[in-house]
Amino acid sequence: MITLESFVRGAWQRGNGRPKTLQDPTRETDIAHCDSTGLDFAGAVAWGRGVGGTQLRKVGFAERGRWLKALSAAIHAKRDALIAVSAENGGSTRGDAKFDLDGATGTLAAYAKLAESLGDENFLPDGEGVQLGRTPRYWGQHIRVPRPGVAVHINAFNFPAWGMCEKLACSVLAGVPAISKPGTPTALVAYRVAQVIAESGVLPEGAFQFVCGSLGDTLDHLGPQDTLAFTGSAKTGAMLKGHARLVGANTRVTLEADSLNCAILAPEIDDDAATWAAFVNNLVTDMTQKTGQKCTAVRRILVPRERVDAVVENLVDRLGRIAIGDPADEATKMGPLASGAQFEDVSAGMQALLAVARAACGGPTKLTARGYFLAPTLLVANDPDAEVLHSLEVFGPCATVIPYDGRAAEATRLANRGGGGLVASIYANDKRWTEDLVLGIAPWHGRLWVCSDKVADQAYAPGMVLPQTIHGGPGRAGGGEELGGLRGLELYLQRVALQGDQGHLGRRFGPSTGSAAV
Ligand code: NAP
């Protein structure tokens, strides 16, 4: 049994309370203990702000980018060992583990690359300057500077490596130290990654702390220059956003929460179209990759009523061929749910959906005596407007086909009933129909992924979050925004307007200083 420790104030430390137990979800065996009771959380915040922040801001953006590149390489060097841990603790197949780990190292590397053009200053010009006075001498220029606080990063269990590193990439590059907390069920993977980060010695002291277990009273010590970046369920996010200390101090809070993502098939897509093939392939990937435990996975499949039978037939056939089993076995394409609690949640969610839908395949039955295995479950809605279809996120290998009449307006109405989503995928060649849908659902989504025959052969799957484009969404998706290239740094930077002599302020702080504008 491994005892997971926290990396606080430059040392690995154990809690002194009652530990939580982590399991191997394939065998239902206990593999690790995790506890952070009694750690000095106030000290961690002060250490991050005082030591870590100061060290980070002794150098500029370009140098911090070089650190990210080194971190990416250090984690990548342990890839095989981390893949094995991910199978043991997360129930991840090799492909699922790579998705998480390569997402982590790829995002660090992407931000390292971006940093190359940012220069060695500790500010970023924000657009062009503007004449304010009667002559150009009196000038205005916006800039962004690192906030001298600490960033608390709370991550969900489903991407223990990627979730931690994508947040770390942005805060470190911005010059803000992080205290990172993983989701407990898969904390062993995060712990191993944290060990690599700490042992690499790449980051200066205090720039990275890691709390494995509860955050204790950490949030009570945050102030106006600090940041809380949360990823997890809408319920936990709402509770944290209302935290009295954070509200009182106007601490920046951003939430990445859950989402009833939808895929929308246009009526004109024939079975032999490249777009149709992409539609079916991506749905199978979304339902089975990471056993459906992906915040971006499609939960609602909007299909023109007359195409429902063809879609269901294709998907049932493909899903029936997915090999389910021990994730360490190379033939396995889908492993178990990540934990017993997840299994209970997902089975209960499937049951709730079955009250308003029929199962075309799968269902909430445990597949094996040991291990949290469920079959990929495709449901077909009886009533497209049933509330539960648009409000309950079943965070597992489950999606529901929802028939609609083929009009963009009707697809818009149903898509937006999700109350705010991370990503909606559109499969259409008809440009006018697509544009109507795009404009109809854009306000309710963080990302619209549009597939036509022109791009079907090169588009990444919609569930893949890319560092170049934003991740997040309005409403129930949390209202947050991460990544999106340099936009991802905004959370950690303060924008300030400078007004004065162009010859001085414009020259020193304007875009011509060599730092890239945000
Ligand atoms: P969760 O139960 O809400 O937990 C998320 C994180 O919050 C975990 O680290 C959890 O720690 C922590 N937490 C819980 N209560 C807390 C408290 N009182 N104070 C401080 N931290 C607290 O969600 P989950 O089960 O890990 O993740 C699944 C959910 O996350 C799904 O709904 C999924 O859609 C969503 N998700 C969203 C995104 C996105 O980018 N939008 C990405 C991934 C997942 P413990 O584990 O120790 O309880």
Side-chain angles (χ1 to χ4, degrees):
M1 183 80 72
I2 303 163
T3 298
L4 306 187
E5 299 183 333
S6 297
F7 187 63
V8 170
R9 294 173 61 95
W12 288 100
Q13 303 177 30
R14 288 182 183 191
N16 58 14
R18 200 161 154 213
K20 284 194 182 157
T21 303
L22 279 62
Q23 282 200 317
D24 172 346
T26 306
R27 292 167 190 79
E28 298 187 33
T29 48
D30 297 347
I31 53 173
H33 280 146
C34 171
D35 173 47
S36 59
T37 314
L39 297 190
D40 177 8
F41 298 105
V45 170
W47 177 263
R49 263 192 219 127
V51 178
T54 307
Q55 295 295 328
L56 278 170
R57 293 188 296 275
K58 270 191 182 159
V59 301
F61 288 91
E63 178 65 8
R64 292 194 291 268
R66 287 189 273 279
W67 294 344
L68 296 183
K69 189 173 178 185
L71 275 188
S72 173
I75 297 168
H76 187 75
K78 303 281 183 192
R79 187 173 186 249
D80 282 336
L82 292 168
I83 286 172
V85 178
S86 190
E88 188 190 11
N89 181 213
S92 306
T93 63
R94 188 174 170 80
D96 291 346
K98 285 195 291 188
F99 192 56
D100 182 33
L101 291 162
D102 295 348
T105 53
T107 304
L108 287 165
Y111 275 91
K113 186 80 192 149
L114 273 178
E116 287 174 7
S117 60
L118 297 184
D120 278 316
E121 298 279 9
N122 252 318
F123 69 89
L124 293 175
D126 180 39
E128 296 292 328
V130 58
Q131 179 175 333
L132 298 176
R134 128 179 96 69
T135 73
R137 183 177 294 175
Y138 188 53
W139 195 247
Q141 174 68 53
H142 291 91
I143 62 168
R144 289 170 201 210
V145 293
R147 286 153 55 87
V150 74
V152 174
H153 294 163
I154 300 180
N155 292 301
F157 75 85
N158 59 331
F159 282 104
W162 181 85
M164 180 160 76
C165 290
E166 60 104 12
K167 285 186 169 60
L168 192 64
C170 290
S171 72
V172 163
L173 185 54
V176 176
I179 299 174
S180 187
K181 173 199 157 15
T184 299
T186 56
L188 178 55
V189 183
Y191 173 63
R192 293 296 185 214
V193 175
Q195 283 181 315
V196 176
I197 294 173
E199 283 161 18
S200 71
V202 167
L203 294 179
E205 193 158 35
F208 172 72
Q209 298 183 83
F210 176 77
V211 174
C212 209
S214 159
L215 275 177
D217 63 355
T218 302
L219 303 188
D220 294 332
H221 304 288
L222 298 189
Q225 290 289 337
D226 300 316
T227 304
L228 171 64
F230 166 84
T231 295
S233 63
K235 192 173 164 201
T236 311
M239 188 256 298
L240 293 175
K241 195 172 184 179
H243 189 284
R245 170 74 189 182
L246 306 184
V247 173
N250 276 324
T251 305
R252 274 193 191 166
V253 177
T254 187
L255 307 182
E256 296 295 337
D258 59 40
S259 172
L260 277 291
N261 308 299
C262 54
I264 306 164
L265 182 69
E268 33 88 15
I269 300 298
D270 292 327
D271 302 17
D272 56 357
T275 300
W276 170 271
F279 174 70
V280 173
N281 287 339
N282 287 334
L283 286 173
V284 172
T285 299
D286 258 1
M287 291 181 68
T288 57
Q289 187 176 45
K290 301 217 76 199
T291 319
Q293 299 162 116
K294 239 170 33 183
C295 54
T296 52
V298 170
R299 308 292 172 199
R300 301 175 298 155
I301 310 167
L302 304 192
V303 178
R305 202 158 274 121
E306 66 279 8
R307 309 300 306 285
V308 166
D309 289 347
V311 168
V312 169
E313 191 185 323
N314 266 259
L315 286 174
V316 168
D317 173 52
R318 292 283 302 278
L319 293 169
R321 288 190 258 148
I322 295 290
I324 304 168
D326 185 340
D329 182 342
E330 278 197 17
T332 297
K333 292 289 175 237
M334 191 176 100
L337 276 309
S339 68
Q342 257 298 101
F343 177 85
E344 296 303 329
D345 262 19
V346 172
S347 338
M350 286 178 178
Q351 286 286 10
L353 291 181
L354 279 168
V356 298
R358 69 175 171 88
C361 65
T365 311
K366 198 163 188 264
L367 293 183
T368 51
R370 276 202 171 256
Y372 303 119
F373 292 97
L374 283 169
T377 298
L378 184 70
L379 307 176
V380 184
N382 304 328
D383 169 10
D385 274 304
E387 172 61 23
V388 69
L389 297 174
H390 306 285
S391 61
L392 179 68
E393 182 202 45
V394 179
F395 202 58
C398 178
T400 307
V401 171
I402 301 178
Y404 80 105
D405 64 11
R407 290 180 307 122
E410 180 63 355
T412 299
R413 187 184 73 77
L414 289 168
N416 292 348
R417 281 201 59 189
L422 295 172
V423 55
S425 39
I426 300 169
Y427 295 84
N429 285 322
D430 181 330
K431 288 186 178 161
R432 180 67 200 275
W433 187 94
T434 302
E435 288 160 22
D436 286 349
L437 185 59
V438 162
L439 292 176
I441 65 176
W444 287 95
H445 293 84
R447 183 159 59 92
L448 301 183
W449 182 97
V450 185
C451 184
S452 64
D453 289 352
K454 290 236 164 108
V455 295
D457 65 334
Q458 58 169 297
Y460 293 113
M464 189 179 280
V465 171
L466 300 172
Q468 295 89 341
T469 44
I470 56 166
H471 174 59
R476 86 170 278 161
E481 197 177 277
E482 290 184 330
L483 301 171
L486 291 179
R487 294 175 189 86
L489 272 61
E490 291 184 12
L491 185 62
Y492 306 103
L493 300 174
Q494 179 65 39
R495 184 178 8 239
V496 54
L498 307 178
Q499 299 174 337
D501 173 16
Q502 180 184 184
H504 177 203
L505 300 180
R507 270 202 203 131
R508 175 72 182 91
F509 297 108
S512 58
T513 53
S515 299
V518 174

